[in-house]
Each structure stands twice: as C-alpha cells, then as structure tokens.
Amino acid sequence: MAFSEDTTFIIFSNVLWSERNLVQHQVALELSRRYNVIYLNPPVLWDPTYKSRKYRRTFRVNGNLAVMYHRHVLPIRIFKRFFRVVNDLITERSIRSYMRNSTEVVVWNFDRLRTSRFYLIDPSRVMYHVVHNKFGEAGDEELASNADMVLCSHSSYVDLYKDFNDRTIHFPPCIAQEQDQSSSRSDSFEVSGRYLAFVGELNQD
C-alpha cells in the first residue's frame, strides 16, 4: 500500500487494546512503524452513575501509536440518531487533536457498529476489515458498501462480501518478518486497483 509519510491512520477497533497481539493490534503496530496511528477502543456506553467529566483518555504505545479510550456522553437508546451524531462529533474532535499535520487520513475500521459517516475528519480512504464473519448483521452492509476496500481475514468471506463491494480481497493476518522463522517463506500478493495487500510487514517496500 503506498501512502505518504505524513498519513494518519485512524483504527476503529472492536477489541480493547492489549498485549494479546490480535489482528487489530498487529495492524496498528505494523502501521506505526512508519505512520501516525490512532487506535480507538470500542466506546464505553453512557452510564448515569459515572461521575467523572473526563470522557476521553489516551496513552502512547510508542511515538507513532496513540490508544484512545472514550465514553459516550449521551445515551444512544434515547433519540438514537441525534445522540449518536453528537457522540461521534465529540469523539472526532478528540481524534483531530492527535492527527498532527497530516495531508492524508485513512480510516481502518474493524467495528461493524461504527457509522460510515464522518463529520470533522475527512478520510481519503476507508478500509473495512472483516476478522470474524458478521455478514448481513446490523451495520455490516452499509460499511462494506461504502468502503473503498473490504479486507477479509479469511478467504471464505471474500465471495460473501463481493455482493456488497467488488473491491473485496483476502487479507491474511499480518506476520512480522522477525516473527517468521520459515526459510521457505514467500510473500503473497493480491492487487486490486491502486491497493496492494500482502503477507508480511505492512510498511515494507
């Protein structure tokens, strides 16, 4: 994948940040070797008993990777559409403060419950990454249809998601070169338009 050096990747994850090295964490870590990366944990739902006014907190994993915890300010079960927009606006405002002076913003979305609409950020590309088969569930079709590319961790998902988006490819879990001890390893490439997906480091040339 060819991106400029001052690209910011915003990863909407469906799993919390941890050291378990899941696909979501692998992608974030590999991208952060070269690019600015903001990793958003799944939001904590609104809770009236929560006293703190601090709805966002962030820590850095390394110089290029920031992990953001955030909480819904308003309950989306009430006035669902309007309150969801307000929650998204507040979250995007927080994201912008970590975008540096990026000339390009890429959204890498793992979470089918995230909206495909953006208000304060203007991504040049939106990737929808399907790790587990949630085909046809709420939000899935909208995200897949509106994405610039759908990445499927398992090859069996590709034909399903091509019904929503022709730009669907198999994107196996990342394996860092230093973790692969196989002497017979060969990189696997799949090309679709201006995108290139491969097994190996995401930042290799």
Side-chain angles (χ1 to χ4, degrees):
M1 298 180 183
F3 303 104
S4 62
E5 292 289 340
D6 55 355
T7 297
T8 287
F9 284 85
I10 303 171
I11 297 179
F12 290 97
S13 181
N14 57 342
V15 296
L16 290 171
W17 180 262
S18 73
E19 301 301 324
R20 289 185 296 162
N21 205 27
L22 300 176
V23 172
Q24 295 85 340
H25 310 137
Q26 293 170 358
V27 168
L29 287 167
E30 290 297 330
L31 288 171
S32 71
R33 291 172 181 264
R34 180 175 296 183
Y35 307 106
N36 182 41
V37 179
I38 305 167
Y39 183 101
L40 273 85
N41 282 319
V44 177
L45 297 181
W46 176 79
D47 183 351
T49 65
Y50 188 69
K51 303 297 184 182
S52 175
R53 291 180 176 272
K54 192 172 183 179
Y55 291 94
R56 307 284 181 271
R57 62 186 180 89
T58 306
F59 75 91
R60 285 203 169 272
V61 177
N62 58 46
N64 284 336
L65 174 56
V67 175
M68 183 180 296
Y69 293 86
H70 62 116
R71 180 181 297 272
H72 281 167
V73 177
L74 298 172
I76 58 175
R77 291 185 179 181
I78 305 174
F79 304 113
K80 183 175 181 179
R81 182 172 297 180
F82 176 70
F83 280 3
R84 185 169 185 171
V85 170
V86 174
N87 285 329
D88 288 345
L89 283 168
I90 294 171
T91 299
E92 289 183 27
R93 183 179 178 184
S94 299
I95 291 172
R96 288 183 61 179
S97 64
Y98 288 90
M99 284 173 52
R100 300 178 180 173
N101 294 320
S102 302
T103 58
E104 184 175 10
V105 176
V106 177
V107 167
W108 198 303
N109 189 5
F110 289 93
D111 190 352
R112 66 180 176 82
L113 297 179
R114 298 280 184 170
T115 180
S116 61
R117 299 177 180 86
F118 303 96
Y119 306 98
L120 301 180
I121 58 177
D122 184 22
S124 59
R125 310 178 203 181
V126 177
M127 323 290 278
Y128 181 40
H129 197 146
V130 181
V131 178
H132 302 291
N133 187 7
K134 300 294 183 181
F135 182 77
E137 295 188 15
D140 185 62
E141 180 176 357
E142 178 185 354
L143 288 170
S145 300
N146 292 327
D148 292 295
M149 175 162 282
V150 178
L151 311 173
C152 297
S153 289
H154 198 282
S155 59
S156 64
Y157 304 162
V158 174
D159 288 340
L160 292 174
Y161 281 89
K162 279 189 174 178
D163 289 341
F164 294 154
N165 193 323
D166 290 336
R167 299 179 299 278
T168 298
I169 65 168
H170 179 210
F171 190 91
C174 308
I175 303 173
Q177 286 181 332
E178 61 270 19
Q179 294 178 322
D180 188 354
Q181 303 300 319
S182 172
S183 59
S184 61
R185 172 183 176 274
S186 61
D187 289 336
S188 171
F189 295 85
E190 292 195 45
V191 181
S192 178
R194 56 179 174 160
Y195 296 92
L196 176 65
F198 54 90
V199 181
E201 291 189 354
L202 292 178
N203 65 336
Q204 71 184 35
D205 294 327

